[in-house]
Structures are given as structure tokens and as C-alpha cells.
Amino acid sequence: MSESGERRTPGKGLINGLAVTLKMLVKPTITQQYPDVEPDLPPRSRGVIALLEENCTVCMLCARECPDWCIYIDSHKEEVVVPGAARARQRNVLDKFDIDFSLCMYCGICIEVCPFDALHWTPEFEYAETDVLDLLHDKSRLGDWMRTVPPPPAHDVLGEPSKEESAAARKAAGPGAATAAQTARPPVRPEQAP
């Protein structure tokens, strides 16, 4: 007897399982002819990692956080003369940025920790090589993948505006103008109502 008090038919589970198996046996299979027919993938699927070199500040966060240690970065310091500054400033210049895709496990940690959006997922997945040593992609090859990066999704109109949008709205409104956050009132809960 079951917990609800009704009797079970012996072998009912076995019969249900065999019915599913028989149904799948007679159902036609769907085979995708991959090399001849392009697969229909979601636009933001994970393929290869692309590098936007001008956004990279050589902070090394991606290389430090990578669990496989498959990112290799090298840089040098360059002096930048700023007009009106007391002394020249230094900035890092990216010399080498390599990702070894034979070691990469495509976890996406490097993309998540990048504070300047220098790394992006691309839906491109056809980059197989005949030699495993050719899976070491340098910064020029990683930069070539940027053309396949889809644009970011549209901002949620009901969501909170970004910091940049808020700053632009404050600047356009002028000094002393009330911001949207100051004019919006939080909802009153029933227990707070007078």
C-alpha cells in the first residue's frame, strides 16, 4: 500500500518504463548534418573568448583568477606626459596577451572579473586546429574574434538607470535640480500606513 492508502499494481512502473522505450524506438530521429548545415545556436552562446585590446589595462586579474592558468600576459611601463601635470605619469602597455585554449575550460571567470570589459564571449565555435600547439591564440587573433561579439542586450526600461545615465541626466538638468531618485517615493507597506 502507498502512503495515501491505495494499492499499487505490481509491475506498473516497469510497464510505464517499457512504454516510454517503445515510443522512442518508433519515433524518427532528428540528425543535424553539421558540416553541411550550420547549427541554429542562440546568439549569446559561449564559443571562443575575444579580446578588446584598447580596454585592457594589464591589471592581471584575468590571469590571476584563471583556475587553469591558461592566460599569459606581458607588459611594459610607458611614460605619458600630461600637459599641466607636475610630472609624467606611467601607464602599462600590453605586449603579450595569449590564451591557451587547449587548457581553457571555458568557465568564464576571466570575463567576469575583467573590470574594463576587455574580454567577451563570442558565439564562434569553429576554431579547431590540426595541431594542439596552434590553440595558443595571441592578442591579434583574439582581437579578430571581436567582430563576432553580439551587441549587449537592451537596458531594462523598468530597471534602475546606469551610473552613466544618471550622471548625464544630472549634468543636463543643471545644479540644484531634483534627481529621479529624490523625487521617487518608496512604496508604503500596510503596516507603515498611518
Side-chain angles (χ1 to χ4, degrees):
M1 288 184 69
S2 65
E3 293 177 7
S4 62
E6 60 187 50
R7 290 186 167 225
R8 291 190 179 171
T9 307
K12 184 178 178 187
L14 177 65
I15 293 170
N16 288 342
L18 288 172
V20 170
T21 304
L22 288 173
K23 187 169 77 172
M24 291 297 147
L25 275 174
V26 296
K27 187 177 179 182
T29 59
I30 300 170
T31 304
Q32 292 186 355
Q33 305 296 328
Y34 162 62
D36 301 326
V37 179
E38 287 288 322
D40 187 26
L41 296 175
R44 300 197 71 77
S45 59
R46 290 183 175 189
V48 70
I49 298 170
L51 170 70
L52 186 59
E53 188 176 343
E54 52 267 13
N55 283 7
C56 184
T57 60
V58 196
C59 65
M60 305 287 233
L61 277 175
C62 53
R64 280 186 294 210
E65 296 296 325
C66 179
D68 289 335
W69 293 82
C70 65
I71 300 175
Y72 312 108
I73 301 174
D74 196 15
S75 68
H76 70 276
K77 292 204 181 280
E78 185 178 89
E79 285 196 358
V80 177
V81 178
V82 179
R87 57 189 165 117
R89 296 186 180 164
Q90 288 188 346
R91 73 179 187 105
N92 288 326
V93 177
L94 185 65
D95 292 331
K96 177 177 124 178
F97 193 104
D98 296 347
I99 298 179
D100 190 353
F101 285 106
S102 65
L103 297 175
C104 182
M105 63 181 188
Y106 303 92
C107 63
I109 293 175
C110 57
I111 296 169
E112 295 296 323
V113 299
C114 182
F116 300 103
D117 290 333
L119 296 173
H120 300 275
W121 281 118
T122 69
E124 197 66 38
F125 64 93
E126 294 175 318
Y127 56 97
E129 299 288 345
T130 55
D131 188 10
V132 73
L133 298 176
D134 292 335
L135 286 172
L136 182 69
H137 293 191
D138 61 348
K139 67 180 180 177
S140 64
R141 186 146 182 215
L142 293 172
D144 290 342
W145 294 114
M146 277 305 295
R147 63 180 165 69
T148 63
V149 173
H155 186 67
D156 184 11
V157 283
L158 299 176
E160 184 178 314
S162 66
K163 293 177 185 176
E164 293 85 5
E165 290 172 332
S166 300
R170 278 195 307 270
K171 188 180 274 188
T179 62
Q182 292 170 341
T183 57
R185 293 186 177 163
V188 178
R189 291 191 222 154
E191 60 267 7
Q192 293 176 340

